[in-house]
Amino acid sequence: MDDVLFGGARLLADIGGTNARFALQRGPGRIEEIATLACAAHATFTDAVRAYLAGHPGAARELRHAVIAIANPVEGDFIKMTNHHWQFSIDAARRDLGLDTLLVVNDFAALSMSVPSLADADLEQVGGTRVSPDAVIGLVGAGTGLGVGGVIPDAGRWKVLPSEGGHVAFSPSNAREQAILAYCWTKWDHVSAERLISGPGLATIHEALCAIDGVAGAALEPAQVVERGLAGDQLCAEVLDVFCGALGTMAANVAVTLCARGGIYIGGGVVPRLGEFFAKSSFRARFENKGRFTDFCKQIPVYVIHAPYPALAGAAAMLDQQLVDARAAAQRAPIDSVTSTHHAHA
């Protein structure tokens, strides 16, 4: 099968609004030559690809297949990035780069696809007692936004369940969160979960608590909130705990919505930076506070993802499936053609 999936190096990429991370894959699990390029330094998507490949001329000559995980909805052939000016036709880019295959997928779908194959060393368990093998897995990722998704076992393989669950309405679980939500309503008609459970959400929670408590404080960047909270600043520590508790409620919502007996995985850049604070926070108590479904949630383990480049591995797995399916379709084509001809003359 490897000759079908590879036949030379494959290009992998994980593209966000600020940076584009590229890598080469020459065999199963062999993700190498990882490099990060600033999107702003390149006029177009294909310019960035060529800039990366210029450092790997041998791979560029043998390149046939590529997969791009991008922080953007992927619907049809045309891609126009939400948080950057790049826009391109997938098919035109494929031809321009001389590729047989250019698969473009949503970055959170790629992260979701990476989850079933993550090593134990890349995961930190936070509570839970039992995993059901080959069960639905849920994923929540707090970073620049709030990603939600899942993977479903399907005939020996995994199928990604796309979701825009980060945009559901934020649901407060106590009076403090209710006051934060009321403050946010003075700014936005719809307060999504993403407004608060994300990197930018840390700054929003801090701003709200300052206003609620009548504290005169300068606006803080998310990284400053994390740094000060972990250093013992009382207000910023409360911001972090509000964030963790709200994430616990959101993760439990995903668990019961999907019946995610395969576990809930936490991705994104925020939680891994919190270290031991997260494990000791209100996250797990809130995750298990589900009324008649408390016992259900108590059994479900939560895993924080610490793998360095999981979206690249997930994108590679999605390309595997694409190529295998394409080969199967090509092998069926002569049979389908004969069958169609036979029916036509019947």
Side-chain angles (χ1 to χ4, degrees):
M1 181 179 292
D2 288 353
D3 59 333
V4 175
L5 297 182
F6 292 93
R10 306 190 317 183
L11 177 69
L12 313 178
D14 180 14
I15 297 176
T18 303
N19 294 313
R21 182 176 289 120
F22 292 97
L24 295 172
Q25 186 181 23
R26 292 187 172 87
R30 292 177 54 196
I31 299 177
E32 306 165 341
E33 308 293 348
I34 298 171
T36 300
L37 280 64
C39 294
H42 305 279
T44 67
F45 159 70
T46 52
D47 286 342
V49 173
R50 288 194 177 93
Y52 171 76
L53 292 176
H56 307 281
R61 286 191 294 271
E62 65 183 18
L63 198 65
R64 294 172 49 206
H65 308 300
V67 57
I68 309 300
I70 192 166
N72 216 69
V74 180
E75 299 173 353
D77 176 71
F78 188 71
I79 301 295
K80 183 176 182 180
M81 292 187 66
T82 304
N83 296 316
H84 189 60
H85 68 263
W86 285 353
Q87 53 185 329
F88 57 93
S89 156
I90 298 173
D91 190 57
R94 178 191 63 79
R95 289 184 276 108
D96 191 21
L97 295 169
L99 297 170
D100 294 342
T101 306
L102 175 58
L103 176 63
V104 180
V105 300
N106 174 263
D107 63 334
F108 206 77
L111 179 62
S112 298
M113 185 59 87
S114 77
V115 165
S117 59
L118 288 173
D120 289 346
D122 292 327
L123 301 170
E124 176 188 357
Q125 185 171 346
V126 182
T129 59
R130 185 173 65 189
V131 172
S132 300
D134 299 323
V136 174
I137 292 171
L139 189 71
V140 181
T144 304
L146 178 64
V148 174
V151 281
I152 301 171
D154 180 29
R157 64 198 298 185
W158 292 94
K159 180 179 293 185
V160 171
L161 177 65
S163 172
E164 292 294 342
H167 297 283
V168 301
F170 176 75
S171 178
S173 294
N174 55 46
R176 194 67 159 161
E177 289 181 3
Q178 195 170 28
I180 293 170
L181 176 59
Y183 173 82
C184 291
W185 274 334
T186 67
K187 298 167 64 90
W188 303 288
D189 291 335
H190 171 69
V191 181
S192 67
E194 181 177 88
R195 287 288 188 189
L196 299 171
I197 312 171
S198 63
L202 292 171
T204 301
I205 296 169
H206 180 267
E207 176 187 327
L209 291 181
C210 286
I212 293 164
D213 294 343
V215 175
L220 297 181
E221 294 296 321
Q224 293 175 302
V225 174
V226 172
E227 181 181 0
R228 296 185 187 188
L230 296 181
D233 179 276
Q234 186 174 352
L235 178 59
C236 288
E238 183 183 4
V239 172
L240 297 184
D241 198 61
V242 169
F243 167 88
C244 292
L247 179 60
T249 295
M250 184 69 189
N253 287 343
V254 174
V256 297
T257 299
L258 299 183
C259 283
R261 292 186 173 90
I264 293 290
Y265 289 71
I266 305 295
V270 177
V271 172
R273 291 188 175 93
L274 300 182
E276 292 183 2
F277 183 98
F278 183 73
K280 296 176 180 178
S281 74
S282 59
F283 170 83
R284 187 71 207 189
R286 287 279 292 274
F287 182 82
E288 296 179 359
N289 183 22
K290 216 60 182 166
R292 287 171 290 174
F293 269 74
T294 291
D295 289 341
F296 175 86
C297 286
K298 281 184 176 180
Q299 295 179 14
I300 295 178
V302 173
Y303 301 97
V304 178
I305 299 172
H306 289 281
Y309 309 111
L312 291 175
M318 296 180 81
L319 181 57
D320 287 347
Q321 290 193 0
Q322 170 90 355
L323 295 176
V324 168
D325 290 346
R327 181 183 65 168
Q331 291 175 337
R332 287 195 305 268
I335 298 174
D336 293 342
S337 177
V338 169
T339 302
S340 298
T341 303
H342 174 74
H343 287 165
H345 289 284

